[in-house]
Amino acid sequence: MKKIALLLFLILNIVCQSQEDYIDEFTTLKEMDVVKPITDDYFDLKIYIFMDVNSCMVCQGMIPELEKYFEGKNLKIQKIIFFSGASKKTAEDYKKENNWDYEIITDYNNIYTDYYKITMLPAFLILNNKNQVMFVDKLGGIRTTSSKLDSILNYAKENKTNDVDKRIIKSMPVVGPPQKKIIYTSHTRTIQYLEKTNEYLINSDYGKDIYIMDSNAVYNHKYNLDEMLKQENTSGDNIVDLVFDEESNNLAMCINTIGVLHHLFIYNTITKETELGSLEYIRHNIPKFRAGLDIAYSPKSNHIYLNIDWSDHLKKSTSEKEPQLYIFDLADSAIIKRIIEYKPTIRDNYDIWGFAYTLPLVVEDRLFCTNMFSTELFEFDLKGNFVKKYGIYNSENYRYNPKPMESRHRDEYMYFRGRASINENLLFDKATKKIYIYYQNKVETTKENLKLMLRVPTKHYLVEVSNDPDSKCNEYELPENHVPFYINNGVVRTTTNEDGLKIHIVDLKK
C-alpha cells in the first residue's frame, strides 16, 4: 500500500508540476513582460496567436472560443494569427475554412514567432493596453481557465483605453460611389482641401478618377482621366500625383498613359482646355529614370515642378551631385526648363540616395523643397534660382543622426526607411504665413526589432520651420495615425485609413 501511495503521490506531483511548467517549452515570456505591439493603435487587449498547419484540431478549437469569450464585452480588441511556415494563400484558406474573425499575418520564416519568443507551436499571448503580457499559454492548454480569463476581462474593463483625443473637433467617414458607400482604400495618393468651395479632392489607389467630396466628405462629382484626355485623342492608365490650383481652376497631373509615366497633363475644370506634355524623351537621356512622384504647379509660370524617381538607388548613392527637381515648361511640350540641384547636409554614408525624393510646394512666387530625410528646407524662386535655406535642427523629436547598423543586405532597405524620421509633406498656413514639415518617426531601431520595422508603431509630427536655425522649433504631435494635408491658423485637416477612409478636423492648440 505504501508503494502504491508513493506512486500516486509521484504521479500527482508530476501532473501538478506539468501544469505549472509546461509553458516554459512554448515561450520564455512571463506575465507582466512588456513587448512591442504590431501596431500602436488604441486597443484594450491584444490577442496574438502563433500556429502552423500542424496545429491539431483540439488546439485550433480554442481560436473561436477565445473570440467568443471576449466578444460583446464593449472592449476594443486586436486579434491576430501569425501563421508560421506557410504561404499567404494557405493561411488565408485556413482562415476562410474555419471562419476565423482574426487578422492573418503570414510568418513563413518565423520572423514574428521568433521576435515574440515563441519556441514551440501552437501558443498564444494576451497583452493589455500597456503592452504587458497578461497571459500566455499553449493553444488548448490547461492553464486557460474561465477564472483566469475573467480576471483579464475585469482588468481590461477597469483600465479601458481612452481613445478620444480632445483635439479632434470633427471626424467624417469619406463616403463615395457607388451607392454612397464608405471608401476603403489601401493608399490615398492625393487629398486636398478646396478652400473656396469648402470641398475635398481625393485621388485614391493611383486610379483614374478624381473625386470631389462635399464639406461632410460625401461624394459630389468626379473627373475621369479618360474623359479629360478625349481632346488629346489618348487615354490613361492612372494618375500618379496631382495638384489643383483654385485661382486658375487648373488640375496639374503626372499620369501614366501606357503603363509607364511619360506625360504631364493640365486640365481646366471650367473651360475644359487641356495641355499635354510628353516626358518620353527623358528616358533616352536619363536611363535610370523610372517615374515622377511628387509634383507642384504654378499658373504664373505655367511650370510643373516634378520630383524624379530613380530605378537604381544604390548606384546613385555614390554620386556627389544629385538632380533633385525638374522644372517643366508646358508651353514647350514639357521641355525641361531647368534642373534644380542642391545637396542637403549628409548625415552618414547611408543617407545620400534618400535625398532623391523631393517634396515640392509652390507658395505664391516661391518654390519650397525638402527631402525625405532632411532637416533643411530650401527656397527658390519660380525659375529655380536659390533664395535661402531654413533648418529644423533644434526639433525635439526629429531624429536625424542615428548610428549605422550592420545588417544583411536584404534588411538594409527596411532599416534605412525605418530608422529615422521620414518627411512626408510640406504644408503652408496662409493665416500665419508659416511653413510646416510633416514627418513620421519610426521607433528606435535595434538588431532585435530590425525585421519588424515596417509594422512597429509610428508617431506623426508637424514641425514649424523657423527663419532662425538656432531657435527651438514649435512642433506638435498629431493624433494617432493622423496624416495632415491642410493647416489654417493651427487647425489641421487630417486623414486616417482604418475601418475606412476618414477626414478629421484637429485643433492643435487644445
Side-chain angles (χ1 to χ4, degrees):
M1 292 293 295
K2 289 183 179 181
K3 288 183 179 180
I4 295 175
L6 180 60
L7 182 60
L8 290 173
F9 173 78
L10 290 174
I11 292 174
L12 180 62
N13 186 56
I14 291 172
V15 170
C16 292
Q17 186 176 8
S18 66
Q19 289 181 353
E20 296 295 328
D21 297 341
Y22 75 82
I23 192 61
D24 292 339
E25 299 178 16
F26 288 83
T27 182
T28 58
L29 284 175
K30 304 296 182 185
E31 290 186 12
M32 302 313 292
D33 283 353
V34 177
V35 299
K36 287 188 175 66
I38 290 300
T39 62
D40 201 23
D41 301 324
Y42 294 107
F43 290 101
D44 299 306
L45 292 173
K46 302 178 179 75
I47 302 175
Y48 290 175
I49 294 174
F50 304 84
M51 62 172 294
D52 60 12
V53 294
N54 296 315
S55 301
C56 72
M57 297 306 296
V58 174
C59 298
Q60 292 185 32
M62 182 176 280
I63 296 175
E65 290 300 318
L66 284 172
E67 180 183 341
K68 186 185 302 183
Y69 184 85
F70 286 107
E71 71 179 359
K73 301 297 193 297
N74 196 27
L75 295 172
K76 189 174 180 182
I77 300 177
Q78 182 181 48
K79 298 172 293 184
I80 297 177
I81 296 176
F82 297 92
F83 212 100
S84 179
S87 67
K88 183 176 181 179
K89 184 180 184 307
T90 298
E92 290 292 344
D93 286 347
Y94 259 75
K95 173 182 175 178
K96 185 176 180 180
E97 180 181 341
N98 292 280
N99 197 28
W100 292 330
D101 186 20
Y102 286 74
E103 179 185 352
I104 294 286
I105 294 179
T106 52
D107 193 15
Y108 190 83
N109 293 314
N110 295 324
I111 290 175
Y112 297 100
T113 302
D114 293 343
Y115 179 76
Y116 286 106
K117 300 178 181 179
I118 303 299
T119 53
M120 185 183 295
L121 300 175
F124 75 97
L125 57 95
I126 300 177
L127 306 178
N128 62 19
N129 56 10
K130 298 178 181 178
N131 300 316
Q132 296 170 314
V133 177
M134 290 290 290
F135 185 62
V136 59
D137 195 9
K138 70 178 291 292
L139 277 183
I142 57 175
R143 300 176 77 243
T144 305
T145 62
S146 58
S147 61
K148 183 63 181 177
L149 295 181
D150 283 341
S151 67
I152 295 172
L153 189 61
N154 291 334
Y155 175 90
K157 288 180 178 178
E158 293 172 3
N159 297 273
K160 273 181 65 66
T161 299
N162 180 16
D163 59 355
V164 178
D165 193 317
K166 294 181 179 179
R167 297 174 298 170
I168 302 175
I169 301 172
K170 185 178 181 180
S171 295
M172 303 169 285
V174 178
V175 180
Q179 290 86 45
K180 301 285 187 179
K181 292 182 178 179
I182 295 175
I183 292 179
Y184 290 86
T185 174
S186 60
H187 181 75
T188 302
R189 178 61 189 168
T190 302
I191 182 167
Q192 182 177 338
Y193 176 62
L194 309 181
E195 297 174 341
K196 285 188 173 182
T197 57
N198 192 19
E199 295 175 316
Y200 298 92
L201 177 152
I202 295 177
N203 170 241
S204 61
D205 284 327
Y206 294 91
K208 291 186 180 186
D209 293 326
I210 301 170
Y211 295 146
I212 304 298
M213 326 298 288
D214 67 18
S215 59
N216 293 312
V218 177
Y219 173 74
N220 191 339
H221 63 280
K222 72 178 180 180
Y223 299 102
N224 177 268
L225 182 58
D226 290 339
E227 289 294 321
M228 292 185 287
L229 283 168
K230 273 186 176 180
Q231 296 182 53
E232 303 290 342
N233 295 317
T234 186
S235 60
D237 283 348
N238 60 2
I239 301 168
V240 178
D241 195 20
L242 65 94
V243 62
F244 180 65
D245 179 74
E246 292 190 79
E247 296 298 325
S248 63
N249 294 302
N250 279 342
L251 274 169
M253 296 164 270
C254 50
I255 62 175
N256 288 331
T257 53
I258 54 172
V260 178
L261 181 150
H262 73 286
H263 280 100
L264 294 176
F265 182 45
I266 291 182
Y267 176 80
N268 189 283
T269 59
I270 303 298
T271 66
K272 315 301 181 187
E273 293 178 352
T274 61
E275 289 184 80
L276 184 67
S278 176
L279 301 177
E280 184 64 22
Y281 72 95
I282 293 181
R283 296 186 177 279
H284 301 294
N285 301 317
I286 310 175
K288 295 177 185 178
F289 167 76
R290 183 170 62 187
L293 295 176
D294 301 292
I295 70 168
Y297 167 68
S298 169
K300 293 183 179 180
S301 63
N302 199 34
H303 290 164
I304 286 181
Y305 304 87
L306 178 68
N307 164 224
I308 297 295
D309 182 20
W310 298 73
S311 60
D312 194 338
H313 302 301
L314 293 179
K315 288 184 180 179
K316 186 176 184 297
S317 68
T318 61
S319 170
E320 287 295 319
K321 195 175 185 181
E322 302 176 25
Q324 300 291 319
L325 197 68
Y326 284 61
I327 302 177
F328 293 90
D329 189 339
L330 269 294
D332 294 326
S333 188
I335 298 299
I336 295 178
K337 191 80 173 179
R338 183 170 181 182
I339 299 175
I340 298 178
E341 295 179 346
Y342 59 97
K343 190 175 181 182
T345 302
I346 296 176
R347 302 190 294 276
D348 58 56
N349 293 332
Y350 293 84
D351 276 6
I352 304 177
W353 70 262
F355 291 124
Y357 295 90
T358 300
L359 304 171
L361 173 69
V362 169
V363 176
E364 299 168 347
D365 294 323
R366 298 183 292 171
L367 170 67
F368 293 94
C369 303
T370 190
N371 307 93
M372 288 183 69
F373 301 93
S374 176
T375 58
E376 296 161 314
L377 178 72
F378 294 80
E379 181 184 336
F380 302 87
D381 64 22
L382 295 181
K383 295 180 180 179
N385 299 309
F386 176 76
V387 176
K388 65 183 297 185
K389 183 170 68 172
Y390 308 80
I392 56 170
Y393 310 104
N394 291 313
S395 165
E396 182 179 349
N397 297 291
Y398 197 98
R399 297 203 312 273
Y400 55 88
N401 192 24
K403 295 180 181 179
M405 203 173 76
E406 293 182 4
S407 64
R408 291 178 298 176
H409 181 77
R410 183 179 70 84
D411 294 325
E412 285 180 353
Y413 181 71
M414 283 190 198
Y415 169 55
F416 180 80
R417 289 295 304 272
R419 68 197 179 87
S421 299
I422 302 176
N423 296 327
E424 295 286 344
N425 202 1
L426 292 177
L427 302 179
F428 175 63
D429 190 330
K430 289 184 179 180
T432 62
K433 303 298 182 183
K434 297 287 187 180
I435 300 286
Y436 290 84
I437 295 178
Y438 156 57
Y439 68 91
Q440 298 181 14
N441 253 1
K442 299 290 185 180
V443 298
E444 183 180 357
T445 306
T446 63
K447 290 184 178 179
E448 183 182 22
N449 68 14
L450 172 65
K451 297 175 183 178
L452 296 177
M453 285 310 297
L454 296 183
R455 288 189 178 272
V456 291
T458 300
K459 292 187 178 295
H460 302 252
Y461 294 92
L462 269 179
V463 57
E464 182 183 305
V465 176
S466 173
N467 290 325
D468 181 4
D470 295 323
S471 66
K472 186 176 180 180
C473 297
N474 294 322
E475 53 191 326
Y476 307 89
E477 182 177 348
L478 293 160
E480 198 75 31
N481 295 320
H482 281 235
V483 177
F485 59 89
Y486 173 86
I487 184 170
N488 181 45
N489 202 23
V491 176
V492 183
R493 294 175 193 262
T494 67
T495 181
T496 57
N497 200 6
E498 299 165 1
D499 298 324
L501 193 64
K502 293 180 182 178
I503 290 175
H504 312 268
I505 299 177
V506 181
D507 189 349
L508 294 179
K509 297 176 183 178
K510 284 190 174 182

